[in-house]
Amino acid sequence: MKQLIADLIAQSLNQLQEQQKLELSQPPTINIDGTKDKAHGDYASNIALLLAKEARMPPRQLAQLILDNLPASKHIAKVEIAGPGFINFFINEASQLEIISTILDAGESFGRCNIGQNEPYQVEFVSANPTGPLHVGHGRGAAYGACIANLMEAAGYGVHREYYVNDAGRQMNILASSVWLRYLELCGETFSFPSNGYKGQYILEIAKTLQNRHGDAFRVAAAEVFKDIPADEPQGGDKEEHIDALVERTRQLLGDERYLEVFDLGLNAILDDIKDDLAQFGVLYQTWFSERSLKEDIDKAIAKLEAGGHLYEKDGALWFRSTSFGDDKDRVIRRDNGETTYFASDIAYHLNKFERGFSKVINVWGADHHGYIARVKAALQAMGVDPERLIVKLVQFAILYRGGERVQMSTRSGSFVTLRELREEVGDDAARFFYVTRKPEQHMDFDLDLAKSQSKDNPVYYIQYAHARICSVLKKLEDQGQKWNQEEALANLHLLSEEAEKDLVTALSRYPETLAAAAQHLEPHQLTNYLRDLASDFHAYYNSHKVLTEDEKLRDARIALSLAVKQVIYNGLALLGVSAPQAM
């Protein structure tokens, strides 16, 4: 209905321009909003206020001109001018009720649109280092990224989901060294495990696999491993220097071939666990992109920056002059030892993305990556890519509370709550829903007790219960040996005269615009809020009005309304990755 009204206003404005009563420099954006007070109609537009200055006339005078030239429509019962120049539209009841038949006919496709016109977007999300299982913090980025991808697809965008696998660099080398050191302990060697190594139980399990495959073949005496290694932090040394020295010693003692085997064993074991965890959480990708595959892309990116005069040498290192593009300081691209930096890989990866033909790229990053935005956009601009084509959404990690106490999380220490543990405790549906109930940049406390409760205070339970309740209506009808006829029901929708029924019809008509707005603004919480309100309206209606009334015509009309609510709840939950149970 919003689009219909916008089209009518556009036709009126065109007519006024043809009559030379109005001159506009360009076609205006016509905003149509649902009204909060039914006394002001069903929809309102502020177009006259927006164009008054350009039209050089008072808003109410322009509003009257628009109204006088507005084409007639069977759906519009009345149009009024209100306040300083708002145009209020009253929709006739028959047209409002048509949304029920539209929903029942469209089914799962209801609400979908093509505002995206298949424009190719890449959504890269989670991309956690494969150094340990996903924790509850990663879960929020997973749920958010999956939801915005679903919403965008429903709005007609071409969406490609991608996970960037950081399978190179210092953290992965620390992981490999940690696995080998645990392996040495299993072989009988005794030593103090590095404070900055990865300590979780999962490291020990990988080490056991290494021992099962090779026995003592990879064993080296602890004395040889730790000979002349700088002291660790507990002994008055530097933990970073200590672990880096151990990584280098691991590579020396194992040799390239055996070191790569340990490295890949750790990488693949953890990556397989991440893939399985996300798949069970309903999060799937088209591409798992390996950082190790970027060697040629890194060379290409450096060559582009060099050709543009954006690189310089200092202290034996190669630097990108990112301050020329708004960054707070210049960034190292290649260290004095000849190794390229993480930033060099980031530059190459983003260049690779755009060279694959994506119109825009959405990165879902943890809030701690805020400082990376300026430098990556600076590099894109230096390479001739419009930095506005990169959209970065920062996600605050969810903080988990159990028994009123915050659970501390550290990947290296192994003291953290995994996403899998959370899913097992509260269920995938509650986890997926709760993670996206707030804007991603907002702080979030995850209330376990609420997520597991079966009450109206638990929004996902309350919404699912509305769906199940409607399913039970049809089951009761069947148990009574009666049948529902859709054609008869649609012919009697005019019997839906209760205010609660009209409110439900209005709420149903808002679903397409809610979906479109959630997709365009990358805000799944708009959909969660809508579904919660719709469920609340239905529960209130169900509790105060008998659906299976003795009047068959009214009964069938009410069933049609209920089934439309059921379909919209199903469609909305599906986009959020949440199930719609038929019984609870």
Side-chain angles (χ1 to χ4, degrees):
M1 198 59 67
K2 276 190 174 184
Q3 188 58 53
L4 168 68
I5 295 172
D7 290 342
L8 293 176
I9 292 175
Q11 291 175 50
S12 176
L13 293 174
N14 289 336
Q15 183 75 10
L16 288 171
Q17 290 184 90
E18 289 176 5
Q19 297 170 2
Q20 298 184 344
K21 295 180 180 179
L22 180 67
E23 288 186 16
L24 298 176
S25 58
Q26 60 185 10
T29 299
I30 301 172
N31 298 315
I32 310 295
D33 297 308
T35 60
K36 295 180 180 179
D37 185 349
K38 290 301 179 183
H40 298 151
D42 298 291
Y43 297 96
S45 176
N46 64 348
I47 188 66
L49 285 82
L50 294 176
L51 297 180
K53 184 176 181 180
E54 186 176 3
R56 296 187 294 276
M57 67 179 73
R60 284 188 67 92
Q61 182 183 343
L62 178 55
Q64 188 62 54
L65 279 176
I66 294 172
L67 193 154
D68 291 342
N69 286 269
L70 205 66
S73 170
K74 66 177 183 178
H75 301 291
I76 309 296
K78 183 172 62 171
V79 184
E80 291 180 348
I81 300 172
F86 289 100
I87 305 176
N88 295 340
F89 294 81
F90 295 77
I91 310 302
N92 66 53
E93 289 190 9
S95 295
Q96 289 179 320
L97 291 168
E98 286 180 6
I99 194 67
I100 296 175
S101 59
T102 299
I103 293 170
L104 297 182
D105 288 342
E108 293 181 21
S109 66
F110 177 71
R112 293 175 175 265
C113 62
N114 193 32
I115 57 175
Q117 298 183 329
N118 206 35
E119 184 179 0
Y121 273 66
Q122 186 217 47
V123 181
E124 182 229 321
F125 59 108
V126 184
S127 298
N129 288 345
T131 53
L134 297 178
H135 58 60
V136 294
H138 298 130
R140 190 177 186 190
Y144 175 73
C147 282
I148 64 171
N150 290 345
L151 288 167
M152 291 179 69
E153 276 188 337
Y157 292 90
V159 180
H160 185 90
R161 299 162 178 82
E162 188 155 305
Y163 189 116
Y164 179 55
V165 181
N166 297 100
D167 52 5
R170 180 170 180 264
Q171 295 305 319
M172 293 305 301
N173 287 324
I174 293 175
L175 174 74
S177 184
S178 300
V179 169
W180 186 56
L181 290 173
R182 286 302 190 204
Y183 160 83
L184 292 180
E185 288 180 333
L186 291 173
C187 292
E189 299 295 328
T190 57
F191 50 84
S192 178
F193 196 85
S195 61
N196 224 15
Y198 288 100
K199 302 184 180 70
Q201 177 64 28
Y202 65 97
I203 298 294
L204 184 59
E205 296 304 319
I206 299 170
K208 288 178 180 178
T209 300
L210 182 64
Q211 185 186 41
N212 290 337
R213 289 183 183 179
H214 298 284
D216 285 353
F218 284 34
R219 182 176 182 177
V220 177
E224 187 175 356
V225 174
F226 286 87
K227 183 180 179 181
D228 299 326
I229 292 291
D232 201 356
E233 186 176 57
Q235 291 80 43
D238 185 304
K239 63 180 181 180
E240 301 293 348
E241 186 179 2
H242 179 74
I243 193 64
D244 287 342
L246 279 174
V247 166
E248 186 58 33
R249 182 62 53 82
T250 302
R251 301 183 77 143
Q252 291 173 356
L253 294 174
L254 285 177
D256 290 344
E257 185 175 336
R258 293 194 302 173
Y259 178 79
L260 183 60
E261 185 169 349
V262 175
F263 185 103
D264 284 344
L265 178 64
L267 165 67
N268 293 332
I270 294 172
L271 191 57
D272 286 347
D273 179 75
I274 289 174
K275 289 181 178 180
D276 178 69
D277 202 5
L278 289 172
Q280 290 184 34
F281 197 39
V283 178
L284 302 172
Y285 297 87
Q286 279 84 32
T287 302
W288 293 76
F289 192 98
S290 167
E291 181 185 354
R292 284 196 281 185
S293 70
L294 282 173
K295 188 178 186 310
E296 291 184 5
D297 294 279
I298 292 174
D299 293 339
K300 183 191 298 184
I302 291 176
K304 268 184 171 287
L305 293 173
E306 198 161 30
H310 303 301
L311 302 181
Y312 65 92
E313 290 190 11
K314 177 183 174 183
D315 300 329
L318 188 63
W319 294 71
F320 167 49
R321 195 175 282 105
S322 55
T323 50
S324 298
F325 302 93
D327 196 7
D328 58 350
K329 64 180 181 179
D330 293 343
R331 307 290 174 177
V332 177
I333 297 293
R334 189 167 53 222
R335 298 187 182 91
D336 55 4
N337 62 4
E339 292 186 2
T340 54
T341 61
Y342 281 119
F343 181 46
S345 296
D346 286 339
I347 295 172
Y349 179 45
H350 284 84
L351 179 62
N352 176 286
K353 292 184 181 192
F354 288 109
E355 287 186 340
R356 277 187 271 160
F358 297 114
S359 174
K360 290 187 178 178
V361 165
I362 300 173
N363 287 350
V364 179
W365 287 349
D368 56 334
H369 283 68
H370 180 270
Y372 286 76
I373 300 175
R375 69 188 73 166
V376 173
K377 288 199 170 192
L380 288 173
Q381 187 174 352
M383 293 186 295
V385 178
D386 181 0
E388 295 306 309
R389 292 172 63 190
L390 172 63
I391 301 167
V392 179
K393 301 300 292 185
L394 296 175
V395 178
Q396 289 283 351
F397 282 173
I399 299 174
L400 181 65
Y401 283 84
R402 176 178 283 114
E405 295 185 3
R406 178 175 172 173
V407 180
Q408 298 297 323
M409 295 183 294
S410 169
T411 308
R412 285 196 189 175
S413 70
S415 174
F416 58 88
V417 177
T418 66
L419 174 61
R420 183 174 278 106
E421 288 171 332
L422 176 69
R423 290 174 36 237
E424 289 174 350
E425 185 165 349
V426 305
D428 291 333
D429 287 341
R432 283 288 295 255
F433 191 93
F434 271 64
Y435 273 135
V436 297
T437 53
R438 304 188 70 180
K439 290 185 177 181
E441 64 271 18
Q442 290 181 331
H443 175 83
M444 180 184 186
D445 293 338
F446 199 109
D447 187 338
L448 285 171
D449 294 331
L450 179 61
K452 292 186 290 185
S453 69
Q454 296 185 0
S455 70
K456 67 177 183 179
D457 294 326
N458 180 351
V460 66
Y461 175 83
Y462 201 48
I463 294 166
Q464 289 178 318
Y465 182 45
H467 184 274
R469 221 173 190 183
I470 297 168
C471 291
S472 72
V473 169
L474 292 179
K475 181 69 167 60
K476 288 178 184 177
L477 188 70
E478 183 181 332
D479 291 344
Q480 292 172 6
Q482 300 182 60
K483 293 184 178 180
W484 173 75
N485 184 289
Q486 180 168 322
E487 186 176 350
E488 289 283 334
L490 297 180
N492 290 294
L493 292 179
H494 62 279
L495 298 175
L496 300 174
S497 58
E498 300 286 346
E499 281 303 312
E501 292 166 338
K502 294 177 182 179
D503 289 343
L504 278 174
V505 168
T506 300
L508 291 172
S509 68
R510 288 179 42 237
Y511 176 70
E513 65 194 60
T514 301
L515 193 160
Q520 289 182 301
H521 298 292
L522 307 179
E523 294 183 342
H525 72 275
Q526 290 197 36
L527 184 55
T528 64
N529 291 341
Y530 169 84
L531 292 174
R532 182 162 45 192
D533 290 344
L534 179 62
S536 179
D537 287 347
F538 178 79
H539 285 304
Y541 169 66
Y542 185 88
N543 291 334
S544 59
H545 298 82
K546 187 176 182 180
V547 175
L548 299 182
T549 182
E550 294 178 1
D551 183 332
E552 289 188 11
K553 291 183 178 180
L554 179 58
R555 179 202 69 189
D556 284 355
R558 286 182 171 177
I559 290 176
L561 173 61
S562 300
L563 289 178
V565 172
K566 170 179 170 287
Q567 186 66 65
V568 169
I569 289 176
Y570 176 91
N571 291 358
L573 288 178
L575 293 174
L576 297 173
V578 177
S579 69
Q582 295 189 14
M584 294 179 71

